Amino acid sequence: MGQTPAVPNHIAIVMDGNGRWATRRFLPRVAGHKQGVESLRRCVKACVDRGVGVLTVFAFSSENWNRPVEEVSGLMDLMVGALTREVPRLSKDGVRLHFVGERGGLSEKISAGLVQAEAATAHNTHLIFNVCFNYGGRWDIARAAAALAERGEPITEVSLDREMALSHVSDPDLFIRTGGEQRLSNFLLWQSAYAELFFSDKLWPEFDEAALDEAIGAFQRRERRFGKTSAQLSSGAERARQPA
Ligand code: IPE
Ligand code: IPE
Ligand code: MG
């Protein structure tokens, strides 16, 4: 008996494995990224349906510029296409978009598209959807520290946290990486301090609703102790110690 376990409020995903998905089918890598967009559309819908509050995905890392030129330009073209095609659909589902990452270095077309998509969905309330594009965890921390230093403000955990790119949402509860690798690859280094990690062998284009439910189920069976003991959690002592 007991309460129904809660769905994680904030899910973060490293969508990895598009290239391998394509290569296994003797297709160009960009075909895998294209299929990855389909998978993402399905995942966003599933998160809305399950009452997830925030979804944050890693779409393009600061380091991905080092890939072959044709792959990078294929990814940029996909972004342009997604901005035109997907935004109306997302907005209809009540999704609010935020783009997180370094905007300098992106084409004029993409930068303008990001601003427009954020403005067009700003009134939506069902799901906050953060797309990390040209993002790196170290970039985020260094940039936040530099902004504080420039204003002559003290650098503390609270002030840094307020300055970081995801300050509009709470920290991720569940961090999923698909594609079988078990590493963070510079994603949400600061914010994932207490995220529950889940690694799936499924390649991102194959990550469906059932795979998402498996990750959520694993999360619900974890005990999040935040430095306390298991006994403290079950006695409810932790609640007594929480500041009002
Ligand atoms: C992740 O899939 C998507 C991006 C990095 C843009 P990959 O392209 O890294 O796929 P694999 O890891 O090579 O299979
Ligand atoms: C991480 O995947 C970046 C994204 C999913 C956008 P990578 O495929 O770039 O990571 P590594 O290189 O295997 O660590
Ligand atoms: Mg990869």
Side-chain angles (χ1 to χ4, degrees), residues 34-214:
K34 203 164 168 222
Q35 199 60 36
V37 176
E38 303 294 317
S39 191
L40 182 55
R41 184 189 304 130
R42 177 172 62 194
C43 182
V44 172
K45 185 78 176 58
C47 284
V48 172
D49 292 347
R50 283 154 185 73
V52 171
V54 184
L55 174 67
T56 302
V57 299
F58 207 2
F60 189 82
S61 79
S62 325
E63 291 76 29
N64 288 147
W65 291 108
N66 297 319
R67 292 195 175 193
V69 183
E70 60 277 13
E71 182 167 348
V72 172
S73 63
L75 282 162
M76 295 300 149
D77 291 347
L78 266 180
M79 184 53 145
V80 172
L83 283 168
T84 353
R85 273 194 316 274
E86 306 293 334
V87 174
R89 199 176 343 219
L90 289 169
S91 199
K92 209 168 124 255
D93 285 337
V95 175
R96 178 172 187 176
L97 267 161
H98 287 270
F99 291 95
V100 176
E102 175 58 53
R103 305 262 173 127
L106 299 178
S107 72
E108 192 48 50
K109 196 166 184 179
I110 292 184
S111 308
L114 304 186
V115 173
Q116 276 165 21
E118 287 180 339
T121 61
H123 57 284
N124 292 333
T125 54
H126 286 175
L127 175 78
I128 294 182
F129 180 28
N130 301 307
V131 178
C132 296
F133 194 80
N134 198 14
Y135 172 88
R138 289 179 174 177
W139 163 84
D140 196 3
I141 297 168
R143 178 190 133 281
L148 290 171
E150 199 176 299
R151 300 201 300 265
E153 290 176 27
I155 296 177
T156 66
E157 287 192 23
V158 173
S159 67
L160 255 184
D161 199 55
R162 217 173 18 228
E163 208 60 45
M164 305 278 298
L166 284 182
S167 61
H168 58 290
V169 292
S170 59
D171 284 344
D173 300 293
L174 171 60
F175 180 118
I176 300 171
R177 181 175 184 136
T178 64
E181 312 296 351
Q182 304 200 352
R183 55 176 171 256
L184 305 182
S185 299
N186 202 14
F187 191 45
L188 305 181
L189 298 182
W190 173 269
Q191 297 87 346
S192 294
Y194 269 101
E196 294 295 330
L197 307 181
F198 183 87
F199 298 103
S200 168
D201 286 332
K202 278 202 188 301
L203 302 174
W204 175 248
E206 298 165 340
F207 192 82
D208 56 10
E209 289 92 341
L212 178 69
D213 287 334
E214 192 190 335

Side-chain angles (χ1 to χ4, degrees), residues 15-21 29 33 59-60 64 67 71 75:
M15 309 182 291
D16 195 25
N18 294 346
R20 279 163 285 166
W21 183 91
R29 291 178 58 87
H33 297 312
F60 189 82
N64 288 147
R67 292 195 175 193
E71 182 167 348
L75 282 162

